[in-house]
């Protein structure tokens, strides 16, 4: 497994993408609207910033209301998301997604509950 991205909740994905591009030389490599949010990926060389801006009153809007902008989750890439899910469940980790589901950029994803992962929302991503 490898680090894939840091998901960052924001009210202004375009503005934050511009700021990060200037500050950190991280170009935008992908943008889409999925699951009620605008998602912008910036290339950091060995992973991505994934900027998440709500388009409705869904998960990211609720997160921003409760916590304000900032890191929402950390994502790890796996070659076999099903096997990884099975392994973490066998070790007592509670998944949010018991089965992989479609995520941004056409990848299969599954989230692990933060109460099982030291308070960090972890996303598994299969490329």
């Amino acid at each position: 497994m490898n680090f894939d991205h840091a998901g960052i909740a924001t009210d202004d994905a375009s503005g934050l993408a511009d700021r990060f591009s200037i500050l950190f030389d991280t170009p935008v490599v992908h943008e889409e609207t999925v699951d009620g949010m605008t998602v912008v990926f910036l290339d950091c060389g060995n992973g991505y910033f994934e900027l998440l801006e709500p388009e409705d009153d869904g998960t990211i809007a609720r997160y921003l209301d409760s916590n304000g902008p900032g890191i929402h989750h950390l994502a790890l890439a796996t070659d076999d998301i099903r096997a990884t899910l099975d392994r973490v469940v066998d070790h007592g980790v509670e998944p949010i997604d018991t089965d992989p589901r479609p995520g941004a950029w056409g990848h299969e994803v599954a989230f692990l509950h933060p109460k099982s992962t030291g308070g960090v929302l972890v996303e598994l991503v299969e490329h």
Side-chain angles (χ1 to χ4, degrees):
M1 297 191 60
N2 296 306
F3 175 77
D4 190 75
H5 68 266
I8 301 169
T10 179
D11 289 317
D12 182 8
S14 177
L16 189 56
D18 290 345
R19 177 174 292 254
F20 281 3
S21 290
I22 291 166
L23 293 175
F24 308 126
D25 193 27
T26 52
V28 172
V29 292
H30 183 76
E31 186 171 349
E32 69 180 282
T33 300
V34 62
D35 292 334
M37 63 188 142
T38 297
V39 181
V40 179
F41 283 89
L42 296 110
D43 188 354
C44 297
N46 57 350
Y48 301 93
F49 289 136
E50 178 191 42
L51 309 182
L52 308 166
E53 177 184 342
E55 297 291 329
D56 62 18
D57 60 352
T59 303
I60 296 302
R62 290 190 302 274
Y63 180 88
L64 286 168
D65 287 344
S66 296
N67 302 291
I71 294 177
H72 177 261
H73 66 272
L74 297 178
L76 299 172
T78 177
D79 292 332
D80 187 343
I81 196 167
R82 179 79 261 166
T84 302
L85 264 176
D86 290 344
R87 183 174 64 248
V88 299
V89 167
D90 287 347
H91 284 83
V93 171
E94 180 184 342
I96 292 173
D97 299 297
T98 55
D99 292 303
R101 61 182 170 90
W105 216 341
H107 299 138
E108 290 288 304
V109 303
F111 285 87
L112 307 179
H113 201 286
K115 71 181 181 184
S116 295
T117 54
V120 178
L121 179 61
V122 174
E123 178 184 15
L124 302 174
V125 180
E126 183 177 300
H127 288 254

